[in-house]
Amino acid sequence: MHMPTCPTEISQMNIWKCENERHQCGKMIEHNAAIPRCRAYLRDYKNVTERKTTYLTWHQIIRNAERNVEATTTYARPQNCIRDGKLVDSASSAEPYIAISYAWDISPSFKKWEGRRVTEQALHIADRLSKHTSYALWIDAICIDQDNEPVKMVELAKMADIYRGAAAVLCLVPEIDQTASRVVEHGTGMIDLDGFRALEQAGDTHGMYMFASQGSNNALHKLFSSRWWTRVWTFQEAVLHRITFLVGEKEETIHISDVLKISHPISRRAATQKKDNLLGQSSSFWDSVHSMSNAMKAYMPLGTAISSVWRRQSTVTHDMAYSLLGVCRLETITPDYRLPVEKVFADLVDKASSKGDFSWLRWSHLVDRDAACEGMSMVPVPATVLATPASAITEWRSVEVPQMSVVRGGAVGVCIPHRSTGVIRWQSQPEDIKGVIDMLQKLSYGPEDIWNLLFGLHVGFACDVDRAVGGSGLAQALLNLATGYIDGTIKLEDSEDDLVGDKPYTRGYGFTAYASMAAKVWRNTQLVVMRSQGGTTVVPTHSGTGQARLHRLPVESHRGTCLCLVVHDNTKFRASAIGVMVEEDHAGSGSWQFTRFS
């Protein structure tokens, strides 16, 4: 074996804490042979380093591509841009422009400029960037008249088109420096080589993370600590154009696709460790960052977008809805900040439903229906999503339903298709989580069904945990470990979250993190088991009384497991609870109905 001799090689070996063949790095399988992770890492590290490639700056890239840049007429254009320190009319011009994404100062300073109020921060950005390009710039705090509400609403409605139609998008992230650029470039190079591919094939989340991040390099900690990653609007701004760069204060430049490429193994690792802090950020943060790569490829179902964007922050609550319009292709909604926020969110999910997108229903189980105001018993809101520790790994898809003209229900609320599976034939007494697990076992439900009923919405279905950690048939182990955490026979801090040390990697071992997540879901909550002719669900106790029915909802997992709605006859137009339904074999459902639930 080649022993490291130069300082760089020695420092790279130190990330594994291996010394003189005393390996602390763990083993990996490559070409049917077990080798230390550090050995494969050092080999690939040298291969990437010897390429001696470096990122160009954004203005060099744009200058090199200048002859191929054309203004697009496909998208609505902004009313104004700034060029050479002056406001210019862009609506009637075909002139290309560069759109800027940035986080506003927490307490912005305003000044009068060309007859309007603009931020000093935006003027500074325009002055700095204009030194490197002759292109016009679109910067919201300058190019949208902040004091002209009618004009502001028109421009906000065009926001997605403004970014889609630009020549390029620059995302200003002050924390980027030359070191961060090198680490990201190096990480993307490592991901393309044999070592990382072998780790990925094995589902070795710790090894993948170490290869991509240079062992938790501090430059990545600094890069992802930026406020830019936490703002709701920057999600949309960063994913709508294929030529999008992250730019530091000295014009250091990283293509956003490279940053998102290394975020994938980071998010995988964050999901499979019990300590919810990786590179200074929570697993929900990494969920949000990694999902940006999917948003760049296709429009996002509303439920998926909620999972990502509602982990972020906004100064005005309305923006939690309006910042989703571009990535979800719901631009027919016109922003109106005069509307009550409840109506804004109700209109958002109603518009998605009218286009056949019911994926948002996966978040409706979080609604406190006893506290929800009229018309909001099914409508998720950002505060409840933000309060959940992480997004469940199961992906939900909408079910195609026939056109229906007859709508039942009250005057306000959200229209939702549903199919009855029959009246509730049996309902348990309220029990805590341990009692419900025991009850379901006595009712002869298997470990996979029990896990899915109790934790499918919050953590993910057992089959999806299998896939995420490279295991198979982990449901019983998941349930046993979660039960041990819940009843106290196993302490959370007593078990390892990955075989990181000098032991060989064990496929599927990362499931322990999902069991620890499950143990936190139903703390201090009473649950009931409800069974109809068509299936069974488990939901929290609720205020509904009288005869109840279970209804299938038009959203299901990739294996066909659906969500269901509990509705009581005495409040038939107001939902009581939502859960996962385990269906009875050969049981049918009624025809689709369309009801406005208040």
Side-chain angles (χ1 to χ4, degrees):
M1 173 188 175
H2 165 80
M3 294 302 295
T5 55
C6 72
T8 301
E9 289 188 17
I10 292 171
S11 68
Q12 289 306 307
M13 291 297 283
N14 285 343
I15 71 171
W16 299 99
K17 299 181 172 58
C18 298
E19 254 180 73
N20 300 323
E21 291 294 319
R22 291 196 298 271
H23 289 288
Q24 305 295 317
C25 58
K27 298 288 184 74
M28 61 181 285
I29 305 297
E30 189 178 72
H31 306 305
N32 297 318
I35 62 172
R37 285 165 167 159
C38 70
R39 190 176 297 176
Y41 177 86
L42 186 59
R43 178 201 65 210
D44 289 354
Y45 180 90
K46 289 179 65 180
N47 287 339
V48 173
T49 303
E50 287 169 1
R51 295 175 184 174
K52 296 182 178 178
T53 57
T54 56
Y55 286 138
L56 297 174
T57 61
W58 64 270
H59 47 88
Q60 289 172 322
I61 297 169
I62 291 174
R63 192 179 304 122
N64 293 342
E66 216 159 40
R67 68 189 68 181
N68 299 318
V69 174
E70 295 180 5
T72 176
T73 56
T74 307
Y75 305 111
R77 289 182 59 83
Q79 182 65 42
N80 296 120
C81 283
I82 180 172
R83 179 168 34 79
D84 298 329
K86 292 183 170 53
L87 203 64
V88 295
D89 178 6
S90 294
S92 57
S93 166
E95 178 186 13
Y97 62 92
I98 297 171
I100 310 303
S101 170
Y102 65 104
W104 278 45
D105 285 340
I106 295 174
S107 300
S109 298
F110 288 86
K111 65 180 294 185
K112 273 288 187 181
W113 179 85
E114 294 218 0
R116 63 178 57 178
R117 211 166 50 95
V118 303
T119 67
E120 293 185 3
Q121 177 194 18
L123 289 174
H124 173 73
I125 290 170
D127 180 60
R128 172 191 135 196
L129 299 180
S130 295
K131 294 174 182 176
H132 302 285
T133 183
S134 59
Y135 281 99
L137 304 173
W138 187 84
I139 305 171
D140 60 353
I142 294 174
C143 302
I144 299 177
D145 188 344
Q146 302 297 311
D147 296 323
N148 189 327
E149 283 300 314
V151 170
K152 189 175 180 179
M153 294 307 101
V154 170
E155 294 300 288
L156 286 174
K158 296 189 293 188
M159 191 71 82
D161 271 3
I162 289 171
Y163 283 90
R164 289 191 187 110
V169 175
L170 305 184
C171 305
L172 306 187
V173 182
E175 290 76 9
I176 290 178
D177 56 19
Q178 288 293 342
T179 302
S181 297
R182 285 194 298 270
V183 171
V184 171
E185 183 181 22
H186 200 279
T188 57
M190 294 287 282
I191 286 172
D192 291 333
L193 297 181
D194 289 347
F196 184 90
R197 290 178 186 142
L199 294 165
E200 187 171 36
Q201 186 176 7
D204 185 346
T205 56
H206 175 71
M208 291 162 59
Y209 167 72
M210 294 290 283
F211 272 55
S213 69
Q214 288 191 10
S216 301
N217 192 290
N218 285 334
L220 297 181
H221 191 291
K222 180 180 177 183
L223 166 61
F224 290 109
S225 70
S226 176
R227 281 184 64 244
W228 182 85
W229 295 102
T230 69
R231 309 305 296 171
V232 291
W233 280 107
T234 58
F235 186 100
Q236 171 179 273
E237 293 161 3
V239 303
L240 295 179
H241 199 294
R242 63 183 181 84
I243 305 174
T244 297
F245 304 105
L246 302 186
V247 178
E249 290 192 314
K250 295 183 178 179
E251 314 315 323
E252 303 92 341
T253 302
I254 309 173
H255 198 291
I256 193 167
S257 61
D258 283 355
V259 178
L260 299 181
K261 189 173 183 179
I262 68 168
S263 77
H264 174 57
I266 297 173
S267 66
R268 287 278 300 275
R269 182 67 184 114
T272 53
Q273 65 170 26
K274 289 191 290 296
K275 185 178 180 182
D276 194 19
N277 186 308
L278 192 63
L279 292 173
Q281 303 293 345
S282 67
S283 59
S284 61
F285 172 90
W286 294 113
D287 287 343
S288 178
V289 172
H290 174 56
S291 67
M292 295 171 79
S293 58
N294 296 326
M296 295 184 79
K297 299 169 189 172
Y299 91 93
M300 298 182 83
L302 181 57
T304 306
I306 284 173
S307 304
S308 305
V309 181
W310 285 5
R311 302 291 183 185
R312 297 176 173 230
Q313 301 164 2
S314 67
T315 304
V316 180
T317 306
H318 293 65
D319 285 337
M320 288 297 215
Y322 297 146
S323 62
L324 297 174
L325 303 184
V327 292
C328 298
R329 295 296 175 96
L330 297 173
E331 290 111 320
T332 52
I333 294 176
T334 301
D336 187 346
Y337 291 81
R338 298 166 299 182
L339 294 174
V341 291
E342 293 81 8
K343 178 165 176 53
V344 170
F345 293 121
D347 288 349
L348 178 71
V349 298
D350 227 5
K351 178 59 70 174
S353 298
S354 72
K355 299 180 70 172
D357 178 6
F358 304 104
S359 60
W360 57 271
L361 284 165
R362 62 173 285 193
W363 290 105
S364 294
H365 71 99
L366 296 174
V367 177
D368 183 350
R369 288 169 179 79
D370 292 334
C373 62
E374 188 71 11
M376 296 292 287
S377 71
M378 293 293 289
V379 181
V381 294
T384 53
V385 174
L386 188 61
T388 58
S391 303
I393 58 174
T394 295
E395 295 184 8
W396 298 89
R397 63 190 180 198
S398 300
V399 174
E400 188 173 348
V401 297
Q403 291 289 328
M404 290 171 282
S405 57
V406 178
V407 180
R408 309 182 313 152
V412 296
V414 179
C415 296
I416 299 171
H418 56 97
R419 300 174 70 179
S420 175
T421 68
V423 299
I424 299 298
R425 295 182 169 186
W426 177 82
Q427 176 176 325
S428 72
Q429 293 298 312
E431 296 272 5
D432 62 15
I433 180 65
K434 184 64 171 60
V436 170
I437 292 173
D438 293 341
M439 184 188 308
L440 290 171
Q441 289 171 335
K442 290 176 183 176
L443 292 170
S444 300
Y445 286 93
E448 185 165 357
D449 284 342
I450 295 173
W451 175 272
N452 293 344
L453 282 166
L454 295 172
F455 308 118
L457 264 175
H458 297 79
V459 180
F461 287 160
C463 64
D464 295 314
V465 176
D466 279 350
R467 188 170 65 248
V469 302
S472 178
L474 292 172
Q476 186 66 66
L478 280 165
L479 199 58
N480 289 347
L481 190 55
T483 303
Y485 289 147
I486 290 165
D487 64 20
T489 56
I490 304 174
K491 300 297 183 185
L492 277 171
E493 60 272 15
D494 287 346
S495 58
E496 299 175 78
D497 63 4
D498 191 14
L499 293 174
V500 174
D502 56 0
K503 307 166 189 173
Y505 169 72
T506 300
R507 188 178 180 87
Y509 195 75
F511 79 89
T512 57
Y514 294 99
S516 67
M517 290 165 59
K520 302 168 189 173
V521 169
W522 296 119
R523 284 178 175 171
N524 305 315
T525 304
Q526 294 285 291
L527 304 170
V528 291
V529 181
M530 308 181 81
R531 304 176 74 178
S532 71
Q533 178 182 342
T536 301
T537 192
V538 178
V539 294
T541 54
H542 43 268
S543 58
T545 57
Q547 184 67 65
R549 300 172 188 271
L550 278 190
H551 296 266
R552 287 178 58 107
L553 288 170
V555 61
E556 64 183 17
S557 72
H558 65 94
R559 296 210 7 201
T561 303
C562 71
L563 295 185
C564 66
L565 184 67
V566 177
V567 180
H568 286 80
D569 286 349
N570 61 348
T571 52
K572 64 175 63 177
F573 302 136
R574 189 172 176 89
S576 294
I578 288 178
V580 170
M581 185 166 74
V582 171
E583 296 182 74
E584 298 292 336
D585 292 337
H586 313 299
S589 301
S591 58
W592 285 105
Q593 303 174 64
F594 208 35
T595 300
R596 180 178 289 108
F597 288 99
S598 63

